[in-house]
Amino acid sequence: MARTRHERFDCSGGCPVEATLALIGGKWKGVILWHLLHGTMRFNEIRRRLSGVTQRMLTNQLRELEADGLIIRTVYPQVPPKVEYCLSEHGRSLEPVILALKAWGEANVLAPALPPVSSIKESMTSAAA
Amino acid sequence: MARTRHERFDCSGGCPVEATLALIGGKWKGVILWHLLHGTMRFNEIRRRLSGVTQRMLTNQLRELEADGLIIRTVYPQVPPKVEYCLSEHGRSLEPVILALKAWGEANVLAPALPPVSSIKESMTSAAA
DNA sequence: GTATATAGTATCAAAAAGGATACCGTAGCA
DNA sequence: TGCTACGGTATCCTTTTTGATACTATATAC
């Protein structure tokens, strides 16, 4: 159920890159994992931090992360329900990856106005047209 | 054209994680970048390494990477055509990220038979049912 | 004269991802 | 008595992504 694209890694030679991206590449997974780096959280707690996510999506993503062994879901037999999510050991091993993603994003996406590099070689391109 | 999901980063507080994933998160982008870390490559050269990719997909992904300023496309006005792709400076700055993804993938996805952690808490879960 | 390699486009279709909305059952609060 | 919070499901729909296939132009080799 809801297995995304984890099953097929056909890129010969080896692309652990793809394999990893398949696990954390959903729209919300990266951020969820990043938030969970800070500690255990309840469902709605996560939801509030990911403003914009729907319940269905959040449930889906959390379930996939759980199925992939990256997070641990603990439901307390209470009413109203209380469900906690935290990183598994496996998930925590992703910390350097997440932090690398975050560091690069901070340095290269949000800060600068990245100029279109596609201007220099346009002269060559137009020569072929 | 072909802008994927780069435009909207609504996850408040800041998720450079998402921002980065949006750039490298396509099905092939990560691998393409990884291959380009090794040096300049021609179109079909990349294609052969990504066995399974279609021409259309490869073109798309390369165009997006170029539009995002991560790679540089150089077309030589020859016939038959010769087009080279290489990392831009911006793209090369992704090297630690790519390597982190690769390292984790090698260590955690391909090697071990990752046991389903979802067994311990099942007792609690069933108690709620 | 035909085939091949090059780097693509164009068009159509399928699959996957993501989103909107409504609903559930109970506890606690007013 | 009705409201809200909790952590979801179920259903339907739209958008995005991916894939299959056919087509282009020309130089070179056969």
Side-chain angles (χ1 to χ4, degrees):
Chain A
M1 162 213 306
R3 303 317 314 269
T4 49
R5 50 182 177 189
H6 305 38
E7 316 299 356
R8 22 103 184 189
F9 304 128
D10 48 1
C11 71
S12 64
C15 45
V17 177
E18 253 303 305
T20 307
L21 280 175
L23 292 186
I24 67 177
K27 176 166 179 197
W28 307 98
K29 288 187 187 169
V31 210
I32 293 173
L33 290 173
W34 181 73
H35 283 299
L36 287 181
L37 278 180
H38 303 340
T40 296
M41 278 197 236
R42 295 182 60 175
F43 183 86
N44 277 343
E45 213 173 337
I46 302 176
R47 180 142 81 116
R48 276 186 290 268
R49 305 208 185 215
L50 268 55
S51 81
V53 76
T54 61
Q55 258 178 336
R56 196 185 76 93
M57 277 311 296
L58 184 52
T59 306
N60 274 1
Q61 305 283 294
L62 288 171
R63 290 300 208 284
E64 288 188 20
L65 287 172
E66 188 198 7
D68 289 326
L70 298 179
I71 66 175
I72 295 175
R73 175 169 178 268
T74 314
V75 17
Y76 297 90
Q78 300 181 354
V79 147
K82 172 178 176 183
V83 180
E84 281 186 346
Y85 294 90
C86 65
L87 291 179
S88 68
E89 228 180 297
H90 200 218
R92 184 155 296 279
S93 73
L94 269 171
E95 181 160 6
V97 177
I98 304 285
L99 293 184
L101 288 169
K102 177 161 186 291
W104 192 89
E106 279 175 340
N108 294 276
V109 180
L110 307 179
L114 53 144
V117 199
S118 20
S119 46
I120 307 98
K121 50 104 197 56
E122 274 308 331
S123 51
M124 309 193 64
T125 314
S126 57
Chain B
M1 163 212 306
R3 304 318 314 269
T4 49
R5 50 183 176 191
H6 305 39
E7 315 301 354
R8 21 106 181 185
F9 304 128
D10 46 1
C11 72
S12 63
C15 44
V17 177
E18 254 301 305
T20 306
L21 280 176
L23 292 186
I24 67 177
K27 176 165 179 199
W28 306 99
K29 289 188 187 170
V31 209
I32 293 172
L33 291 173
W34 180 74
H35 282 298
L36 286 182
L37 278 180
H38 302 342
T40 296
M41 277 197 235
R42 296 182 60 174
F43 184 85
N44 276 344
E45 212 173 339
I46 302 176
R47 181 143 81 115
R48 278 187 288 268
R49 303 208 186 214
L50 267 57
S51 81
V53 77
T54 61
Q55 259 178 338
R56 197 186 76 91
M57 278 310 296
L58 184 51
T59 305
N60 274 0
Q61 305 284 293
L62 288 171
R63 290 301 206 281
E64 289 187 21
L65 288 172
E66 188 198 7
D68 289 326
L70 298 179
I71 67 175
I72 295 176
R73 174 169 178 267
T74 312
V75 16
Y76 296 90
Q78 299 181 353
V79 146
K82 172 177 176 183
V83 180
E84 281 185 348
Y85 294 90
C86 65
L87 291 179
S88 68
E89 228 180 297
H90 200 218
R92 184 155 295 277
S93 73
L94 269 171
E95 181 160 5
V97 177
I98 304 284
L99 293 184
L101 289 168
K102 179 162 185 290
W104 191 89
E106 278 175 341
N108 294 277
V109 179
L110 307 178
L114 53 146
V117 198
S118 24
S119 46
I120 308 100
K121 50 102 196 61
E122 273 309 330
S123 51
M124 309 192 64
T125 314
S126 55

